Amino acid sequence: ILKLSITLLLLFATTVSVFCAIFSKELMGLMYTQHVGESALVFPFLMFCLVPISLTYIFGTLVTARGNLMSLSVLAAVAMIINVVMNLVLIPRYQALGSAVSSLVSQSFFGLAQVFLAHYYFRFRVDYKYLLKIALFLCGLCFLAFIVRYLIASWSLAFLSGLGLVLIWASLLKLLDIKGLIFILREKQV
């Protein structure tokens, strides 16, 4: 169930992050009428924070369940210090972009540190075949996002088409079992 959780959250987080980054100007244009260009520069960094936050949901929960709250507290303190120091350095020069970069770096540190901490405590076996599939998914995700961005004139159609293609790509890599998900959803309704 751990692998399923990791897969679902990572596929969702990376897909949303990449597509929001690729279509950031269009998405910001839907929400704002002023400073769209500036917002579109900051938005991808904030959206990519979703990936390490997803790691935190999974691996932080494992470490918490094991009762290692002190380790998590120390990591949180270090992440906070990284964030504050980076904000002090970056915000005066880069404003909102500096804050977004600081958030991404500190969240990434915190998320990855929890992965390593969980690996240390639980002695998980590294599944290199699975990691290769994840890497292939990420490469395909970026490729498909760029392709639909520049081949389909309507950005909303490109966005939706790209999401569909990514679902197919994840299924082809056997990272996402659509029939299995439908079965799980049907069982939950009973």
Side-chain angles (χ1 to χ4, degrees), residues 47-119:
M47 289 309 301
F48 277 111
C49 286
L50 185 59
V51 177
I53 289 170
S54 296
L55 293 175
T56 296
Y57 281 134
I58 298 164
F59 294 99
T61 302
L62 282 173
V63 174
T64 300
R66 192 174 186 280
N68 298 95
L69 295 176
M70 181 57 106
S71 301
L72 285 177
S73 297
V74 169
L75 286 178
V78 172
M80 184 183 68
I81 291 167
I82 290 170
N83 188 273
V84 169
V85 169
M86 287 187 72
N87 276 332
L88 290 171
V89 172
L90 296 176
I91 289 175
R93 182 164 181 180
Y94 300 104
Q95 288 119 20
L97 182 60
S99 179
V101 168
S102 174
S103 293
L104 180 58
V105 170
S106 58
Q107 290 290 343
S108 296
F109 164 79
F110 194 46
L112 290 173
Q114 288 178 68
V115 170
F116 289 114
L117 201 58
H119 178 71

Side-chain angles (χ1 to χ4, degrees), residues 4-153:
L4 177 64
S5 300
I6 293 168
T7 302
L8 291 177
L9 273 174
L10 277 181
L11 293 184
F12 173 77
T14 56
T15 301
V16 168
S17 299
V18 167
F19 275 86
C20 285
I22 297 290
F23 294 97
S24 63
K25 191 165 189 171
E26 292 81 1
L27 291 169
M28 291 297 99
L30 286 175
M31 294 186 279
Y32 304 110
T33 56
Q34 297 177 339
H35 309 291
V36 172
E38 293 90 346
S39 299
L41 285 174
V42 173
F43 186 59
F45 289 95
L46 296 175
M47 289 309 301
F48 277 111
C49 286
L50 185 59
V51 177
I53 289 170
S54 296
L55 293 175
T56 296
Y57 281 134
I58 298 164
F59 294 99
T61 302
L62 282 173
V63 174
T64 300
R66 192 174 186 280
N68 298 95
L69 295 176
M70 181 57 106
S71 301
L72 285 177
S73 297
V74 169
L75 286 178
V78 172
M80 184 183 68
I81 291 167
I82 290 170
N83 188 273
V84 169
V85 169
M86 287 187 72
N87 276 332
L88 290 171
V89 172
L90 296 176
I91 289 175
R93 182 164 181 180
Y94 300 104
Q95 288 119 20
L97 182 60
S99 179
V101 168
S102 174
S103 293
L104 180 58
V105 170
S106 58
Q107 290 290 343
S108 296
F109 164 79
F110 194 46
L112 290 173
Q114 288 178 68
V115 170
F116 289 114
L117 201 58
H119 178 71
Y120 173 77
Y121 287 134
F122 291 96
R123 303 285 182 210
F124 293 127
R125 184 181 57 83
V126 178
D127 185 347
Y128 293 104
K129 184 178 175 184
Y130 175 73
L131 292 177
L132 178 62
K133 283 183 179 183
I134 293 292
L136 287 171
F137 172 78
L138 294 174
C139 290
L141 167 63
C142 294
F143 176 76
L144 291 169
F146 278 106
I147 289 294
V148 297
R149 171 76 172 102
Y150 294 106
L151 289 183
I152 301 175

